[in-house]
Each structure stands twice: as structure tokens, then as C-alpha cells.
Amino acid sequence: MTRLANNQIYYLKQIYFLSGNKALTIGMLFVIILLSSFFDLAGIALIGQYFTMLLDPENINNNYLLSSISQNDYESSIINYGIILVIIFLLRSVIGLMINKFILSFSWNNQVKIQTYLLNAYQKLNYEDYINKNSSEYIQRIQHLVPQFSEGVLLPTLRVMSDGIVSLAIISLLAYLNIEALLIFFFILIIFASSYTIIFGNKSKIFGKKSNIETIKLIQRLNESIYGLKEIRLLSSEKYFHQKMKNSAEKFAKNKVNGLFISTMPRFLLEFVLIFFVVTMIAASVMSGDDPSKSLGVLAIFGTASLRLIPSASNIMGGLSLIRFGRNATNDLYNDLISLEKSKTKIKNKSTKKENFKSLLINDISYTYPNMKKSSLNNISLCINSGEMVGVIGKSGSGKTTLINLILGLLYQKSGEIRFNDENLSESLQSYWSTIAHIPQEIFLIDDSLKKNIALGVDDQEIDIEKLNFAINKAKLEEVVKGLPDNYETMVGERGIKLSGGQRQRIALARAFYFEKDFIILDEATSSLDNETENQIISEINNLKRKKTILIITHKHSTIKQCDKIIMLENGRIIKEGKYNDYFK
């Protein structure tokens, strides 16, 4: 029992943490709910008096409240009392709407806050941690788990709090008026609620966990099916991927339906509880020999209270079911946010001033990936000076990718040091990144205009057209731009699908020129191009020799003929260093 209570308290702490620790905001909501409860009580109490007035006009003089607002004639008293009732319920409705708007705004604003925080945190995530997860997991957390928490946990929690306070106030009133009737009502409600919780309580959590697992698989299947379209079509594997996606979608839908069915069940069953209670009360009155008409005033109060309590009880029970369903999502988000705080890449930079690339010194560095026994790099030393063209060759698995990620400042060496312009690289990353352009085999392009892809990350109104035209000219893109229907405003399509491989590479070059990068890193940049296009790109790169610092990582010997020096990697070590003729005679 103690363990269960501790789990529930821990869950509430997680919800509070994810809600932004807004104690003041939640406190304000609590005060507004109390005010709403007052009008609920006043309205319900007056309803009973109103029915008493209608059924027994002679009782007006015996009731202080009724006699204080009654007029000389019976009709005027009825009208005056009715007006008071209308005003009270109007105020109650207005406050109820305010509470609803407040809860909705708080929940949705919280969703935006967590989503933007997560994206920002993922962008700053330590690269070692980043590559340990499938991209579908990051998408699932932002796109699915956050809405599930905000809409399926935080929103129901606030509604449960709101309805719980109001229900407690109404129950206190009913206890004051007729404790016996309340006990009967409670007895019926407790039996129903206990049965519901015992049968369905734990199932909601199970359905929620299974739903989240299938969401990750669903996103992964969709990504694979869409991004691998060419290969899938050529292999005629559409049916395989379609079935995989369908299986995940069906399992997700099944668990979601089951969870929602459990959460909406109380609303329908509680109507039966209300009717059963009223019939039980009247039957008890008849069996005891009392005149049922004398109980109509109390029944009117209980009936009006039930009209308020039944939806509240439905919301509370349905809300608790949703909260149980969202337990797994809340736990995953909470753990993610806690771990992200520890795993953020702390970018240090002694100087905010943009520097020109002078040198990069790699001195005796080694690197081993987490949870791996074998080192990917061992005792690597290399010096790259401004204006040099350096080549790195080696077979697959030789350590080229790891070396590039270290040179890019994404991974941190386990031993040795890397110095940029004679400063420790970890102390000047921002300045270093401002000097380098990374051109991989697959160029990162967004589904926007050619202009926006060259000036990537710059707002449209801030793009320097003079610099843009200069970059287009230097990358030999003028003829391509002239041939496009809307010049450089032409949309390039998702991942640049409307462009050829060579054109995408030239856009990457243009991007380097636009941002005035000094150090250009070509990471298997021409591997997927045909020979003619590759020769054109290499020719343009060779023309930059002495004007830019260039590092070429490749397994193709033809691309490194003009390099000042070439190093060969094998099993994570440099086994040879020299010029092109030293390797290929």
C-alpha cells in the first residue's frame, strides 16, 4: 500500500515538473475554482427552496430566505426568486467558461513549451548520445508523447482538480441537508467506482505503454517507406513495408481505442447510477409509509446536484483513466528531460569575434565509442594549415567517419588534443564552426527555394542578395539558376529531389561561399556522382586551392590528385602519409 502511494506521489511530482513548476498559476486556478464552487452551492441550495415554494406556497413565511425576497403576491415572489436563480447560474456559467479557457490555454501553452524545449535540447544533444537513438524516437517524443501528456495527462489532471473541488463542496451541502440520502448515493457510487477501477484501472496503463511502443514503430516504418521509395520500388518490396506499417498502425489504433473506450465508459454508466438512486429514494419513501411529495424538495436538490455531480464524476473517473493511460508517456518525457539536462553539449567560446582559419592541429588523439571495446581511432596526429589541400583515404571501417566527426567538433577525443588556431578546440567551438563547411555525400536541403537553401537558416528579409549572387557565381550555378522557372526562388522539392546530384553539390558549395567559410570539408562528396559531374565538381574544388583550406575524405583516388598531402587510415591508425605519387605511381 505504501509503495502504491509513493508511486502515485512520484507520478504527481512528474506531472508538476512537466507542467513547468507553475505553483502560482495553479494556485490562481484553485482560487477561481473555489469561487465557482460557491455559486454551484448557492444555485443548488436555491433550487430546492424554489421547488418548495412551487409545491407549498404556505411555506414561504416559515422560511427566512423565502420570506425576505417574497412580495405581497405569490406570482411576484416566484418571478423574483427565478431571476435570482438565473443570475446565479449565469455567473456560475461565466466562471466555468473562464476556468475551462484557463485550463485549455495552460495545457496547450505547456505543450508548445515542452515541444520547443525538446527540439532545442535535441539540437544541442551530445553527439554520442544523439546517434544512440533512432530518429523516429525523437520525432515520436515531440509529435506524440508531448501532446499525449498535455492533452491526456495535464488537461485531465486540471479538470479532475476542478471537478473534484466542486464535487466536494456539493457533497458537503448534501450531507448537511440529508445525510441518509447522501450515504445511499455514496454507497451506490462507491460500488460502481470500485468495480470500474478494479476491472479497468491497470489496463489503461498497459494500453498506454503499448500505444507508445507502436507509435515509435509506426514513425520508423513510415520514414523507411517514404525515404527508401526508389530502392523499395526496384526490389518490388512495397508489400513488405506496407504490411509492416499496417501492423504497427493497427496495433496502435487497437490500444488507443481500448484506452479511450475505458476513459469514456463512466459517462454512460453514471446516468444509470443517477436513475437508480432516484428510484431507490422514492421506493424507500413509499415503503416507509411517508408521502413521497414531501421528499420532492430534497429530491429536487439531489437531482440538481446530480446533474452537476454526474458529469463531474464522469470527468473525474474518465480523467483518472486517461492519466493512467498516459503514465508511460509522462515517465518517458520526464526521464528524457532530466537526462537531456545532463547531456547537453556545453559550447564554450572565449571569443565571439569571427576568426579566419589558420591551422588545425590534431595531436595523438584516440577515440572509442561508448559500450565498445575496440577503439575506432588510435594515436592520430595531423596538422592542417591555412590554404592546404589534405586528403584522407582508407577502406570502409578504417575510421574515416569517426575522424571527420572529431574534426567537426561533434565528438570529443578520449585522449590527446585538437587545437584550432593554437587554442583548444573545445574552448573555441563556435568560432571554429563559423569557419568550416561540411559537404557530405547526401546534401541537407529543405523543401524551399534555392535561395533559402543557399542562405540556410537566414530569414528571407535578411538574405543578402549581393552575397547570394556572388555565391551562385563562384559555385558555377548561374546557368542552372537561369534555367529554373522562378530563378533562385524556384522550389527544390523535398531533399532537393527536383535537382540532379551535381546541382545539389553545387548548392552546398554556394552555401559555403555565401557564409564565407574558410575550411571546406568534402566527406565522400562526389561518391554518388557520375564521372563527368564528379570531374566538374573536383575541378571547381581544385580551383579553390590556396584560396580555401580543403580536406577531402574519399575512397576514390582520382579526387585527391592535387592534395598537398594524403594520409591513409587502416584499423583506426595512420599507416602512411605522403603525396599522390607516393601512393599511386
Side-chain angles (χ1 to χ4, degrees), residues 371-544:
N371 304 318
M372 298 292 287
K373 294 181 179 179
K374 185 180 178 182
S375 295
S376 297
L377 290 178
N378 293 284
N379 310 113
I380 301 294
S381 295
L382 174 66
C383 182
I384 304 172
N385 294 308
S386 175
E388 280 189 325
M389 181 182 285
V390 178
V392 178
I393 58 174
K395 297 177 182 179
S396 295
S398 60
K400 299 194 300 296
T401 299
T402 304
L403 179 59
I404 282 299
N405 286 330
L406 284 161
I407 289 175
L408 289 172
L410 299 175
L411 296 176
Y412 299 99
Q413 67 275 10
K414 304 304 179 185
S415 62
E417 65 172 351
I418 302 177
R419 300 186 70 81
F420 162 64
N421 289 355
D422 207 30
E423 288 186 5
N424 194 311
L425 181 61
S426 61
E427 300 289 333
S428 53
L429 268 176
Q430 205 70 56
S431 294
Y432 175 62
W433 284 338
S434 71
T435 70
I436 62 176
H438 179 229
I439 304 179
Q441 185 175 340
E442 292 292 329
I443 305 301
F444 173 62
L445 297 174
I446 59 175
D447 190 3
D448 211 319
S449 66
L450 186 141
K451 176 178 74 173
K452 286 283 195 70
N453 274 284
I454 292 174
L456 188 66
V458 181
D459 288 331
D460 197 48
Q461 63 272 17
E462 295 180 8
I463 294 176
D464 189 324
I465 300 302
E466 187 176 336
K467 282 177 64 178
L468 178 71
N469 288 324
F470 171 78
I472 289 171
N473 175 266
K474 293 291 288 182
K476 299 293 187 291
L477 268 173
E478 305 103 314
E479 294 303 318
V480 174
V481 171
K482 287 177 183 177
L484 295 173
D486 296 312
N487 205 270
Y488 49 61
E489 297 289 354
T490 301
M491 303 294 286
V492 302
E494 186 178 13
R495 298 189 173 192
I497 197 168
K498 297 179 182 179
L499 304 172
S500 69
Q503 289 169 341
R504 290 196 286 269
Q505 297 295 332
R506 289 186 185 278
I507 288 176
L509 270 177
R511 189 183 294 166
F513 289 123
Y514 180 88
F515 288 102
E516 299 173 346
K517 302 292 188 177
D518 299 325
F519 184 19
I520 299 177
I521 301 173
L522 290 97
D523 184 5
E524 301 283 5
T526 62
S527 296
S528 60
L529 302 179
D530 61 81
N531 290 334
E532 184 179 351
T533 305
E534 180 184 36
N535 290 335
Q536 290 174 357
I537 297 294
I538 292 301
S539 176
E540 299 301 330
I541 295 297
N542 289 336
N543 289 335
L544 296 174

Side-chain angles (χ1 to χ4, degrees), residues 35 217 231 299 326 448:
L35 182 61
K217 292 181 180 178
E231 194 70 20
L299 284 174
D448 211 319

Side-chain angles (χ1 to χ4, degrees), residues 387-391 545-546 560 562-566 578-579:
E388 280 189 325
M389 181 182 285
V390 178
K545 191 175 180 181
R546 305 290 176 242
I560 53 171
Q562 300 299 318
C563 286
D564 297 302
K565 60 184 173 186
I566 301 167
K579 294 185 178 291

